[in-house]
Amino acid sequence: MEIHRLRFWSRRWWERDRPLLAAGCVLVFLVVIFAIRSRVKEAGVRNRAVGPTFARLDSPLVDLTLLRDAKSRGAFCLDGSPPGYHLQRGTGSGFDKWLLHLEGGGWCNDAESCAARKRTALGSSRYMEPAHFVGILSPHQSLNPDFYNWNRVKVRYCDGASLAGDVDKENLNGLELFFRGQRIWIAAIDQLLSEGLAKAKQAFLTGCSAGGLATLIHCDNFRARMAKEAMVKCLSDAGFFLDEMDISGKKTIRSFYNEVVHLQGVMKNLPSGCITAMEPSQCFFPHELIKRLTTPVFILNPAYDFWQIQHILVPSNSDLDGQWRRCRLNIRYCDSKQIEILQEFRKSLLNALSEFQQNGKGGMFINSCFIHCQTMSNITWHWPTSPRLNNKTIAEAVGDWFFERREVKEVDCPYPCNPTCSHMEFL
Ligand SMILES: *[C@@H]1O[C@H](CO)[C@@H](O)[C@H](O)[C@H]1NC(C)=O
Ligand SMILES: *[C@@H]1O[C@H](CO)[C@@H](O)[C@H](O)[C@H]1NC(C)=O
């Protein structure tokens, strides 16, 4: 009897108050999730911020911020999602100084390769996770001596054309794809200006790989959007891609860039003096871009950039008999004939930079390592075992140049002369 009544009561209660109960459950669930998230975040910050010993310093995880006005500006990742960045605020003397880093990640040159990116963080913010701030973004003075307390921003790359494409329509072979890199650039800078970048006394635009190329494309525009009295400079890390033939004599990179530029409508965002003088996709190459820059720029590039060796000099379809299979993955496996070819590639880089070397405002650091990006790893940026030229780490050389402590035009002797190099080993 009692049990029966209880059942009856509970059934009535269940029926009458079900919506209330459901709402209550959702609320409790949200509160729990929120509490866990903020505890995790706090713990993360606490653990990471204090590190009494050098070796225990960890890299902070910084949350993603999506662009507020993405929709109204038509600034979309390849899949139509809003782009984003990660910002860690400056402190102390760094509160009115800003360092931006443009993320890299190659390019896409046709509908298929761009559509494949929609399922990755390189084409959709749905897959982007918090970012580790290391190297030039590190908040630790011992790892990042000159920029550790600045406002530091990592701008995510999700357009596939170095933030420089712009096509209105979004249909390609029935695939919905947005080519809006230029609008992402404009909208991201607008949002950062409103976050305090507009009041920056010093600003430094940097980027690596495809982001290093984006830095060269947008450097003067960045300068123009900052206060006149601000000190503004740019740095391209592993972004000096060479217009060279591959080992089979094919112009692989030239035709690849040509496809990227035409597919994504990059022409109109390249220097007008250049696109009228030659085939527009030629103006996507750094040696054409730096000639026309008026803002001081630093070129950081290894002479044996493994990305360039694997995609420009020895793309896999240029090495059909597999003679380069080991060498292109580990420079220690190159035979003397292959080293000779690599030395010619180094000479082409220095040749493309010969005019720039006379540029009084410019800086350069061309080390003879088999590596790619060097600003975005604490090991290559500033560490007792980091690569050095003139006994300076990359962080020290870049800081010396930025703050005009000395002229920095460092060019290493040819491989294998530099014992401070850490060569990448894929094999
Ligand atoms: C260097 O960075 C890696 C992650 O990229 C991290 O695991 C390591 O702790 C860092 N070292 C120092 C000294 O910060
Ligand atoms: C190189 O720099 C380090 C510190 O950065 C210093 O201890 C060392 O003496 C320098 N070596 C030379 C040869 O100047």
Side-chain angles (χ1 to χ4, degrees), residues 11 49 55 59 66 76-77 84 90 97 131 142-144 174 177 216 254 266 274 291 331 337 358 368 388 409:
R11 197 182 307 138
S59 51
L66 296 175
F76 299 123
C77 295
K97 296 167 185 164
S142 57
L143 301 178
N144 188 20
L177 281 168
L216 297 176
R254 190 184 285 200
V266 175
C274 184
K291 278 190 219 168
I331 197 167
K337 254 186 93 189
Q358 312 307 315
S368 289
R388 284 166 188 261
K409 292 269 172 55

Side-chain angles (χ1 to χ4, degrees), residues 109-215:
N109 62 325
D110 54 27
E112 291 66 38
S113 61
C114 291
R117 285 181 179 238
K118 287 167 61 172
R119 296 185 299 274
T120 73
L122 287 174
S124 171
S125 57
R126 290 189 298 136
Y127 299 94
M128 291 178 189
E129 305 208 326
H132 277 287
F133 270 29
V134 295
I136 200 169
L137 294 176
S138 171
H140 302 298
Q141 188 169 12
S142 57
L143 301 178
N144 188 20
D146 285 306
F147 308 108
Y148 71 98
N149 65 351
W150 287 33
N151 296 278
R152 285 154 290 111
V153 185
K154 176 174 179 166
V155 179
R156 297 300 293 260
Y157 179 43
C158 64
D159 62 286
S162 284
L163 292 169
D166 196 353
V167 176
D168 250 327
K169 60 182 193 322
E170 66 240 30
N171 255 314
L172 197 71
N173 306 351
L175 298 166
E176 194 179 60
L177 281 168
F178 294 85
F179 299 133
R180 302 290 173 82
Q182 179 74 15
R183 298 193 211 190
I184 297 174
W185 162 256
I186 301 282
I189 296 300
D190 280 345
Q191 184 158 329
L192 291 168
L193 285 169
S194 77
E195 293 287 337
L197 176 63
K199 295 203 182 90
K201 295 242 166 44
Q202 296 181 325
F204 197 9
L205 177 67
T206 75
C208 104
S209 198
L213 179 59
T215 299

Side-chain angles (χ1 to χ4, degrees), residues 54-55 57-58 143 378 383:
F54 201 46
L57 294 174
D58 211 345
L143 301 178
N378 50 22
W383 193 242

Side-chain angles (χ1 to χ4, degrees), residues 8 13 23 30 39 44 58-59 68 70 119 157 163 168 170 173-174 234 247 265 309 358-359 371 395 412 416 421:
F8 178 74
W13 178 82
L30 286 178
R39 295 248 338 223
D58 211 345
S59 51
R68 288 187 294 266
R119 296 185 299 274
Y157 179 43
L163 292 169
D168 250 327
E170 66 240 30
N173 306 351
C234 304
I247 50 161
I309 289 169
Q358 312 307 315
N359 173 337
I371 194 107
D412 208 349
C421 271

Side-chain angles (χ1 to χ4, degrees), residues 382 388 390-393 396:
H382 189 64
R388 284 166 188 261
N390 199 6
N391 199 30
K392 299 267 194 170
T393 63
E396 289 165 337

